[in-house]
Amino acid sequence: FKLFFSLSPRLSEFLALMPRCYDHDKKRMKIEQQIACSYKDNGKTVLTNRLKTSGSYRTIALSKDTAELLEKYISDFHIKDDEFLFWGTDRHTAYAKTTFRRRLDKYCDLAGVRRINPHGARHTMATLLAAVSLTGEDIEAAARRLGHSPEMFMNTYANHKNEKRESALLDKIGWA
């Protein structure tokens, strides 16, 4: 769950992660595939390299401790490059979205915190990134991390900044 919260990917992107997506030297995770529902195969999940938008293909930096945790996990479970990090019935079957959601609920309950859905966790990270993004470069980096354009990121997650700026402007002209 630490990896999930720090990456803040879409759930379908997270469940598609494999060791080959991880750059050990640079401590970065590539988001380049996702799990999708195949309507041709009666709803069976399939691995695809077709993501939501062109900006969805991205490489995300991991903190040192998250990278160490991931490397230990891969080593301890002997996960091969072409196997899912989080597997279902076997290492070539992705973990089910519903199973992930149930586990997230369980751990929220154990921690004594309000339950949050996977997209809510992504939204929380995006809001935190927006709160500390002070420059255009910060905004571009935060948007790229989430697979958004800077405009979409600002419009969706940084509205509170606009309200603060507007209040500050009114203060400057004495209309507050």
Side-chain angles (χ1 to χ4, degrees):
F1 286 102
K2 183 172 185 168
L3 180 64
F4 178 72
F5 284 108
S6 66
L7 289 175
S8 300
R10 294 171 183 93
L11 182 54
S12 60
E13 296 168 344
F14 183 73
L15 297 177
L17 292 177
M18 297 177 167
R20 70 174 183 221
C21 302
Y22 177 64
D23 183 332
H24 173 80
D25 296 328
K26 294 182 180 177
K27 309 295 186 224
R28 296 180 173 273
M29 183 67 78
K30 289 184 284 182
I31 305 292
E32 57 190 8
Q33 58 195 24
Q34 71 176 338
I35 299 299
C37 188
S38 171
Y39 295 103
K40 293 178 187 175
D41 296 327
N42 294 325
K44 181 180 176 188
T45 58
V46 294
L47 182 65
T48 179
N49 62 356
R50 296 183 69 192
L51 298 182
K52 188 173 180 181
T53 66
S54 60
S56 295
Y57 298 87
R58 59 205 186 275
T59 302
I60 302 172
L62 297 177
S63 67
K64 182 181 175 188
D65 62 320
T66 302
E68 288 172 358
L69 192 63
L70 175 62
E71 291 168 15
K72 182 173 177 7
Y73 175 81
I74 291 169
S75 174
D76 287 354
F77 287 96
H78 309 288
I79 306 170
K80 297 181 179 125
D81 274 353
D82 64 340
E83 296 175 339
F84 290 107
L85 285 176
F86 311 102
W87 61 90
T89 54
D90 63 60
R91 291 180 183 224
H92 296 283
T93 304
Y95 204 67
K97 288 181 180 183
T98 54
T99 303
F100 183 90
R101 288 184 183 113
R102 280 194 302 269
R103 290 261 170 102
L104 183 58
D105 286 347
K106 173 185 172 184
Y107 292 120
C108 285
D109 292 346
L110 287 171
V113 297
R114 184 177 64 85
R115 287 183 177 186
I116 188 168
N117 66 40
H119 193 75
R122 176 176 162 81
H123 187 82
T124 299
M125 176 59 90
T127 303
L128 291 171
L129 290 172
V132 298
S133 294
L134 303 175
T135 66
E137 289 176 346
D138 292 345
I139 291 165
E140 285 182 29
R144 192 173 38 254
R145 184 177 185 90
L146 293 162
H148 293 310
S149 69
E151 297 78 20
M152 194 272 192
F153 175 77
M154 288 300 292
N155 290 336
T156 306
Y157 302 109
N159 287 332
H160 68 283
K161 286 189 162 237
N162 294 334
E163 292 169 7
K164 287 180 182 177
R165 282 193 204 119
E166 188 177 331
S167 294
L169 286 173
L170 291 175
D171 283 343
K172 287 180 181 180
I173 62 172
W175 287 11

